[in-house]
């Protein structure tokens, strides 16, 4: 099980000690339960970080955008970015490293296990629920996804609601990371 507080503690420490210029992770989105990517630069904002089955975005894309943004700045902050990475994110980061788009010292990777499950496919889940309002989505036992609807909890098998890429994934933990949270 991933201990979110440990992730927050490490992100907060990295920011407070000035080791990174920011942490790219997931926060609660403005539209219900779905997580959205965020760049956190203030240690006081670290408590906004979340980890759940709605953390669907591959954050390596935001590393690319941040690198482009740095290139446009006159005097860019040369400190690395900390990035929360799932297995698929870390493989994408590896490609960026191999292609020399980024250098290894430009990122600190906070690796997270996908709980032997993965992330949900929003379209699959919404279709199964026929438009019912989702109140919460969390990891359950044995890779199941637990969804709260109207105060009731429904349990879904992984093959019903996970993203297809997660169903095919053979390594739901990062292949490269500086810190690792969860189980391999």
């Amino acid at each position: 099980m991933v201990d979110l507080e440990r992730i927050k503690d490490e992100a907060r420490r990295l920011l407070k000690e000035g080791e990174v210029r920011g942490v790219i992770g997931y926060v609660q989105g403005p539209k219900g339960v779905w997580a959205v990517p965020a760049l956190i630069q203030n240690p006081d904002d670290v408590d906004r970080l979340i980890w759940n089955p709605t953390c669907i975005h591959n954050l390596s894309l935001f590393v690319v955008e941040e690198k482009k943004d740095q290139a446009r700045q006159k005097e860019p902050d040369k400190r690395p970015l900390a990035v929360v990475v799932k297995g698929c994110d870390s493989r994408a980061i590896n490609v960026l490293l191999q292609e020399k788009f980024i250098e290894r010292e430009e990122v600190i990777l906070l690796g997270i296990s996908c709980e032997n499950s993965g992330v949900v496919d929003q379209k699959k889940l919404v279709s199964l629920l026929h438009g019912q309002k989702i109140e919460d989505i969390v990891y359950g036992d044995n890779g199941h996804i637990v969804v709260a609807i109207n105060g009731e909890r429904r349990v879904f098998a992984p093959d019903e609601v996970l993203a297809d890429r997660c169903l095919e994934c053979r390594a739901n933990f990062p292949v490269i990371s500086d810190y690792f949270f969860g189980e391999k």
Side-chain angles (χ1 to χ4, degrees):
M1 192 66 130
V2 171
D3 183 350
L4 180 58
E5 291 309 310
R6 285 188 53 229
I7 298 166
K8 289 178 181 180
D9 289 345
E10 192 57 43
R12 191 176 292 107
R13 182 193 70 75
L14 290 167
L15 286 167
K16 277 185 178 177
E17 294 179 6
E19 290 184 40
V20 297
R21 69 178 186 270
V23 176
I24 297 176
Y26 302 96
V27 298
Q28 193 67 52
K31 296 181 180 179
V33 300
W34 302 100
V36 295
L39 173 62
I40 294 178
Q41 295 177 298
N42 185 328
D44 295 334
D45 293 334
V46 165
D47 284 327
R48 294 179 49 220
L49 286 174
I50 63 170
W51 173 249
N52 65 41
T54 71
C55 296
I56 59 176
H57 301 282
N58 187 325
L59 298 183
S60 65
L61 298 172
F62 298 90
V63 172
V64 170
E65 290 305 313
E66 198 46 35
K67 176 80 175 193
K68 289 177 182 177
D69 187 49
Q70 286 280 90
R72 290 188 288 267
Q73 295 177 13
K74 225 178 213 180
E75 295 181 30
D77 186 339
K78 296 290 187 183
R79 293 176 296 168
L81 272 176
V83 186
V84 174
V85 292
K86 304 180 296 291
C88 48
D89 301 341
S90 75
R91 287 187 290 281
I93 293 285
N94 258 349
V95 171
L96 294 174
L97 291 167
Q98 290 169 351
E99 297 293 327
K100 304 286 187 211
F101 186 81
I102 60 171
E103 298 298 323
R104 183 62 180 95
E105 58 273 3
E106 292 181 286
V107 289
I108 293 178
L109 303 175
L110 306 174
I112 296 183
S113 166
C114 286
E115 303 286 334
N116 294 320
S117 184
V119 296
V120 296
D121 180 316
Q122 187 174 2
K123 288 180 183 176
K124 284 183 185 179
L125 185 58
V126 168
S127 174
L128 283 170
L129 298 175
H130 307 293
Q132 295 179 67
K133 184 171 173 25
I134 300 169
E135 297 164 356
D136 195 19
I137 303 174
V138 297
Y139 290 108
D141 295 329
N142 301 319
H144 287 79
I145 302 297
V146 180
V147 180
I149 308 156
N150 299 324
E152 294 182 20
R153 296 182 112 32
R154 289 191 49 194
V155 179
F156 292 94
D159 61 339
E160 292 180 283
V161 295
L162 289 186
D164 290 340
R165 69 181 184 272
C166 296
L167 294 172
E168 298 170 2
C169 184
R170 300 264 185 256
N172 51 10
F173 52 87
V175 294
I176 181 174
S177 65
D178 297 296
Y179 301 93
F180 183 76
F181 306 94
E183 298 175 16
K184 281 190 182 180

